Every structure is written in C-alpha cells, then in structure tokens.
Amino acid sequence: MVIIEVSPLSGFVMTSRSRMLLENRTIVKKIEVKANVVYIYLEKLNDESQTFILQLEQVIQVKNLKPASIKIYDYYQPGGLQISSCCGVGS
C-alpha cells in the first residue's frame, strides 16, 4: 500500500467535491483527514503515470504562507520510498 500525505497551505482545506472525485478512483483505497493533513491510501503503484488533483478552499486568511508539502511513501516501509514536493498558491 502507498500513502500520499498532503499538508496544504495554512488556512486551506480540501473541498468535499475533491474528496468525492478522489474516492471514485479505483486506485484510491481510502482518504483520511487528520489535523489538516490529507492521507490518500493507494492499493499499489505501477509504471503507469498517475495524476491527483486536490481542490482546496481558503477558510482562514493567513499572512506569510509557508509552502505546502507532499510526501509519497510505502505504508509498510515509510523510511524507504519518499518523494517530497512543495508548492504555493496558484501552483
């Protein structure tokens, strides 16, 4: 099992529509939101390219936003595979 861990920009949350669209994908096993971190559990990855789009909405105005972070790792070996990325508003 593979986990995509998304920590959005401060003051932003994933929309319910975005969650519904992700849950309808066959590769997505489940989605959890804990302490403003979105965990997307995937059955497995293969050589086929996958694109995941999370729609966010701003619920609190925050100054000096820090970049969001995305981590991808194996559930059973969290220290093994890990890809980190970050983005800002409008990226």
Side-chain angles (χ1 to χ4, degrees), residues 61-91:
Q61 185 72 28
V62 177
K63 292 184 180 182
N64 301 323
L65 290 173
K66 303 290 185 234
S69 69
I70 301 168
K71 297 178 185 174
I72 303 171
Y73 53 90
D74 186 320
Y75 178 82
Y76 300 105
Q77 296 177 343
L81 168 70
Q82 184 169 333
I83 304 168
S84 297
S85 178
C86 65
C87 53
V89 175
S91 295

Side-chain angles (χ1 to χ4, degrees), residues 21-66:
L21 291 172
L22 286 172
E23 288 176 337
N24 285 335
R25 296 186 57 177
T26 56
I27 192 172
V28 175
K29 189 169 183 174
K30 86 175 173 179
I31 297 172
E32 290 182 343
V33 179
K34 295 182 181 176
N36 204 33
V37 177
V38 179
Y39 298 92
I40 304 168
Y41 295 82
L42 308 178
E43 192 64 47
K44 61 182 176 178
L45 288 179
N46 55 28
D47 294 339
E48 187 178 319
S49 176
Q50 297 287 331
T51 301
F52 295 89
I53 298 173
L54 270 67
Q55 296 174 339
L56 304 175
E57 65 181 338
Q58 189 171 17
V59 292
I60 300 171
Q61 185 72 28
V62 177
K63 292 184 180 182
N64 301 323
L65 290 173
K66 303 290 185 234

